[in-house]
Amino acid sequence: MASVDSSVELEGATAAAGDGLTHSMRKNGRFQNPWPGWALPTLRDAVRAFWTFAVGSGDRCVIPSQEVLDTTLPVVTPDFSSPVPQDGMKVTWLGHASVLVQFENISVLTDPIFSQRAAPLQFMGPKRYRGPPCSVQDLPTVDVVVISHNHYDHLDYNTVKDLHKRFGERLCWHVPLGMLSWMKSIGCENVVEQDWWQEERVKDREDIKVVFTPAAHWCKRGPTDDNLVLWGSWCVIGRRSRFFFGGDTGYCHGFKEIGKKYGPFNLAAIPIGAYEPRWFMKSQHVCPEEAVQIHMDVGARVSLGIHWGTFKLISTSFEGYLEPRSKVKEAMKSKGLKVEDFFTLDHGGSKVIPIPQAEPSVEKETAT
């Protein structure tokens, strides 16, 4: 399917499109973060972080034995047999940022990775310390996959290939600008490439809208392809249900824009892990306190914490492996919010989110 490239080629903090929204930007063919003060760590910062990781100074993320993990962070077999209530959404956490959300007779899968390593080669690179709760073959029918960006822990070659082999062209992929050629190289043809704020209807489901929305991150898979692909978050909007997927991000004011234009959301999946040390990770990964702010910004009624408890990513994840879960609870309490409204799940665990029957239609005028 053809894509619409509405990104703006200019330097500056915000593309002046006249709609009050922050649009994607490119300079010399590479996407730029439009957020004031955003910056990747310097080479010196990277060396400092690697040294800290190597010597263990400040690294609180000691992964215990499998026996301890089975108690503190269990992996359970997902229950895909139970029906999804007509007046609800069912969400299943498959580890890291991989979530299966089912509502209004559609199934949406986010940033799927079922491989053991988040790396180009499966004999080296960050390895899971909690395995996938199921295989691609165990999944129920998947209608839509959304990809937030092209880092290896969010775009996994083997998983994409296996999903395409199983579901073929009936599976629709929604991906950021710049990713279409990579998807086609694997054989995927039912691919929609989107810019920030671009709205697309799901093929054969005109009542379901998929919108690519901003985030603060970056892209890279090889030595010279820095930011040739866009990054972002996603909104999936049905007749009565709204789902927000935060992907992988630092904090930015784009989330307030998303909430104003598309909120409130019945369910959000928001990253909560791999945030320490803050001096190194702040621009690219939110901490639990910032995750709660996103929860508030987008108007999420309930949120699921993702992007934690699965991989110990090199030079990141210095926080304790269970710390994201406890810190989210503390942050919710400090904001005077109900702790249960920002929850976590076991790997493979599911939760049904009720949609009140008396609730009016959530459809908004969102033409751009």
Side-chain angles (χ1 to χ4, degrees), residues 262-278:
Y262 295 112
F265 292 90
N266 306 95
L267 170 68
I270 300 175
I272 63 172
Y275 52 86
E276 291 285 2
R278 292 310 289 150

Side-chain angles (χ1 to χ4, degrees), residues 119-133:
L121 302 172
Q122 285 299 299
F123 61 85
M124 61 184 298
K127 187 177 181 180
R128 305 178 80 112
Y129 60 88
R130 292 279 77 187

Side-chain angles (χ1 to χ4, degrees), residues 182-258:
W182 189 92
M183 298 296 300
K184 286 193 171 184
S185 72
I186 297 181
C188 301
E189 294 292 337
N190 189 8
V191 182
V192 181
E193 191 181 54
Q194 293 175 238
D195 196 1
W196 287 355
W197 308 111
Q198 183 178 336
E199 302 176 356
E200 297 289 343
R201 299 286 175 172
V202 174
K203 184 180 179 181
D204 300 326
R205 284 296 305 269
E206 288 298 309
D207 56 331
I208 304 292
K209 181 165 54 181
V210 181
V211 190
F212 195 40
T213 43
H217 207 60
W218 57 289
C219 283
K220 185 178 179 68
R221 284 178 79 85
T224 62
D225 66 345
D226 303 52
N227 295 342
L228 293 177
V229 173
L230 187 56
W231 52 88
S233 55
W234 291 95
C235 307
V236 185
I237 301 169
R239 294 183 305 274
R240 300 181 59 248
S241 311
R242 291 186 174 229
F243 168 61
F244 173 73
F245 171 59
D248 197 357
T249 185
Y251 183 75
C252 63
H253 64 74
F255 298 113
K256 285 185 169 65
E257 298 175 9
I258 294 166

Side-chain angles (χ1 to χ4, degrees), residues 175-366:
V175 302
L177 280 183
M179 200 179 288
L180 183 63
S181 60
W182 189 92
M183 298 296 300
K184 286 193 171 184
S185 72
I186 297 181
C188 301
E189 294 292 337
N190 189 8
V191 182
V192 181
E193 191 181 54
Q194 293 175 238
D195 196 1
W196 287 355
W197 308 111
Q198 183 178 336
E199 302 176 356
E200 297 289 343
R201 299 286 175 172
V202 174
K203 184 180 179 181
D204 300 326
R205 284 296 305 269
E206 288 298 309
D207 56 331
I208 304 292
K209 181 165 54 181
V210 181
V211 190
F212 195 40
T213 43
H217 207 60
W218 57 289
C219 283
K220 185 178 179 68
R221 284 178 79 85
T224 62
D225 66 345
D226 303 52
N227 295 342
L228 293 177
V229 173
L230 187 56
W231 52 88
S233 55
W234 291 95
C235 307
V236 185
I237 301 169
R239 294 183 305 274
R240 300 181 59 248
S241 311
R242 291 186 174 229
F243 168 61
F244 173 73
F245 171 59
D248 197 357
T249 185
Y251 183 75
C252 63
H253 64 74
F255 298 113
K256 285 185 169 65
E257 298 175 9
I258 294 166
K260 183 176 181 180
K261 187 171 180 65
Y262 295 112
F265 292 90
N266 306 95
L267 170 68
I270 300 175
I272 63 172
Y275 52 86
E276 291 285 2
R278 292 310 289 150
W279 57 264
F280 187 78
M281 299 308 303
K282 185 171 180 60
S283 288
Q284 33 190 331
H285 289 166
V286 293
C287 64
E289 293 80 10
E290 291 168 330
V292 169
Q293 188 61 53
I294 294 174
H295 166 85
M296 298 169 65
D297 287 352
V298 301
R301 295 194 170 103
V302 297
S303 292
L304 167 66
I306 61 170
H307 199 270
W308 74 287
T310 309
F311 293 98
K312 183 168 169 55
L313 303 175
I314 295 174
S315 297
T316 67
S317 301
F318 280 22
E319 71 271 4
Y321 80 105
L322 294 178
E323 184 179 294
R325 185 167 67 187
S326 61
K327 289 288 187 180
V328 162
K329 293 179 181 179
E330 293 174 11
M332 291 291 282
K333 286 181 181 178
S334 71
K335 293 287 188 180
L337 303 174
K338 295 180 180 179
V339 171
E340 60 269 24
D341 286 349
F342 202 135
F343 62 94
T344 58
L345 292 169
D346 294 335
H347 291 76
S350 299
K351 185 179 180 70
V352 172
I353 311 300
I355 307 298
Q357 292 187 5
E359 186 173 290
S361 172
V362 296
E363 186 66 22
K364 290 184 177 182
E365 177 56 51
T366 54

